[in-house]
Amino acid sequence: PTVDKKGKFVTPIGKKLQEGVERYHIKTHRPLGPDDFYVKNYTNEDEAHADYKTTDVIISIILKEENKAFKVEKYEHTYPHCWRTDKPVLYYPLDSWFIRTTALKDRMVELNKTINWKPESTGTGRFGNWLENLVDWNLSRSRYWGTPLPIWRSRDGKEELCIGSLKQLNAEIEKSIARGLMKTSPLAAGDLHRPYVDDVILVSASGQPMYREPDLIDVWFDSGAMPYAQWHYPFENKDVFEKNYPADFIAEGVDQTRGWFFTLHAIAVMLSESSPEVQAVNKKVNNGGVAFKNVISNGLVLDKNGNKMSKSKGNVVNPFEAISKYGPDLVRWYMIENAPPWDNLKFDFDGIVEVQRRFFGTLLNTYSFFALYANIDGYVKDEMNVVAYEKLSNLDRWILSKLQSLIVEVTKALEEYEPTRAARAIQEFVNDHLSNWYVRLNRKRFWKGEMSEDKKAAYETLYECLTVTAQLMSPIAPFFSEWLYRNLTENIRDKAVANKTPLRHTSVHLTDLVKAEQKRIDKDLEISMDYAQHISSLVHSIRKNSKIKVRIPLQKILLPVLDGAFAQRIKTVEEIILAEVNVKGIEYIDDTSGLLVKKVKPNFAKLGKQYGPKMKEVSAVINALQKEEIAALEKNGKLSKDGFDLVLEDVLISSEDIPGWSVATEAGVTVALDINITEDLKKEGIARDFVNRVQNLRKDMGLEVLDKIGIEVEKDGELVTAALTEFKEYISIETQALSLELKEKLQDAAEVDMDEFMLKIKISLKK
């Protein structure tokens, strides 16, 4: 029912309802309150409103009292509620102004296909479906604050005018004043909002007064007009507009499908079809008439259990507390690396702690390792004098190749708006390749001997990896990357500026994104090193299963070769494998030698999805494969047999152990490890264990890397004595010991657990 400005009902049915409500409340001897004319009950049923009746109940009472109710009953049904207060709301029809967007529906659908949506499914599905089922845009809103609807109409509705600019409005006001409809402009103070704009009376072509339609414009129209309104286009800043339109990239929540995303798109398409100015710009920038080229439609941040965060549920994460505790880079990296921005994220503080430990902790330790030894050696990066690429070790060339491949991968990911892919690639490089492989296998190069060319190459290689990593991670972790970059470059800044080299910039964010050097990408070496890592992993798994520590050297690895190329790749990295797994040598054998007996069985997890009802048949074929067929499948990666086209992933191949050896097979690579431990090997293992224990004691004593020590050991059996005597020189070099003495008895010595026995060791600092 319609109400007047004072809130009183003015229609007959409204007056009848008001009289009934007042009559009801007079009967209850309770004064009318501010809630008494709400359609639904917004009270909390407290004592003050214990007898409160909602309007639908009052209507029922009135009808019953007038004997006009045939039947009154309650029934449950769905009803709209406010998402914030959880209170019932009322919908009722109003006269509204619309934009006929349906007239350009096909063009909107067509141009939407030129936009790069992340994820694509939002553009083709949610947004695409919205456009396919498009209705006209309800533009007007019955509110007070906001942008006034710039439409003036005569009382009879036969004449109307839509104002397109302030200049036009002022001109129309002057006409109205000249006709005597207004004495002065109500907008003289420059405020175009209500109530001032409501006092503007314009004159129609026939001389009739025209009054502004009282509604406002949908605020989403303001958001969609942003690309033009921010530059006051087309009235000024045309050059600036052309340089910034259309947007290369926008991002908002997936709930903006029908909000900002749509209004931007709709207004852009409508202007491209109607405005000569915008048409000219579209032709110049060749965008076809869209407001944005790329869009990331963000998902929601949920709690760790996958529930939507809500104050009422108490599961809201305070972002400022999270940032205060962990820092912005950790929180940002966790959110980006954990899931693509368009997927919903289950936010869990344990995940941030894991990122802190696995990635940032690893990177910090890698930098700290570099800084420690660089400071000891006085190493300073010289961009104008570097070791020639041809003189680098295999490990140097491999990590630099991986680095160039990383640059390519990260650059491509960022260009394709895939930040999660970029973050994961950087994290894998730092954790698996730089720290766990390159640095770990190269430690001795940094702390042994003088600054040789090989040692300088190691410093230069690690330095480059760290600076490039800082650049690549800077869009996601701007503060940590800045700290890392400055620490690495500040001591060479003046020289870099003088030589105009890339490291001359004071901030990582001022540098150009590094470009990959294709000539340094060595895919063959990367494949060889992948084999090295794979073989090393298999040997480590055999040691673990056989309970043989890595510090105990073993004699030999048997490696069946698939072909000549495979053998050559392994020989390229043979020394790296032997050093990593602590084995004396590798023997390459032809897979037909008969030393290793291969067994094969079906990979049911894969075959079940592929063959279904034919599972028994294909399993029988696989179980019947002969030795030569297994070898062919391993070598070629595929085999056709009895109507089935098998691939290597369809089967699980293993090898039987041979006496004195243990065998492991994975992904087509087989390794046999000689697990016999001779007395000589055992002595060497004791020496290596002894070095480890001394290094731990040095650390506990707080000694610096270059501090020299003296070692005294209490004798404990012939084997230990023989081991320490035979490997005295090795132990002394590794531990920075100037002396190593075996004593019958020691006082005030530390008892050290050597797994199989206890050993008394005393360490003293030597000047």
Side-chain angles (χ1 to χ4, degrees), residues 476-489:
I476 306 174
F479 301 105
F480 184 90
S481 60
E482 178 77 344
W483 173 85
L484 179 59
Y485 175 83
R486 288 190 176 186
N487 282 1
L488 289 165
T489 60

Side-chain angles (χ1 to χ4, degrees), residues 698 701 703 706-712 736-741 762-767:
R698 285 180 60 104
M701 293 171 65
L703 298 181
L706 295 182
D707 286 342
K708 305 299 181 181
I709 61 171
I711 306 174
E712 295 177 282
Q736 298 285 310
L738 297 179
S739 62
L740 172 57
E741 300 179 67
K762 188 174 182 179
I763 293 177
S764 56
L765 182 62
K766 298 290 186 180
K767 298 296 184 181

Side-chain angles (χ1 to χ4, degrees), residues 3 26 74 77 145 324 348-349 364 409 479 639:
V3 296
I26 290 171
K74 291 184 178 181
H77 61 98
W145 300 107
S324 176
D348 189 352
F349 282 110
L364 179 60
E409 184 176 1
F479 301 105
L639 177 72

Side-chain angles (χ1 to χ4, degrees), residues 102 105 109 125-136:
T102 51
K105 183 183 79 169
V109 171
R126 187 182 176 109
F127 192 76
N129 292 338
W130 171 253
L131 294 180
E132 291 286 356
N133 298 284
L134 190 65
V135 296
D136 289 332

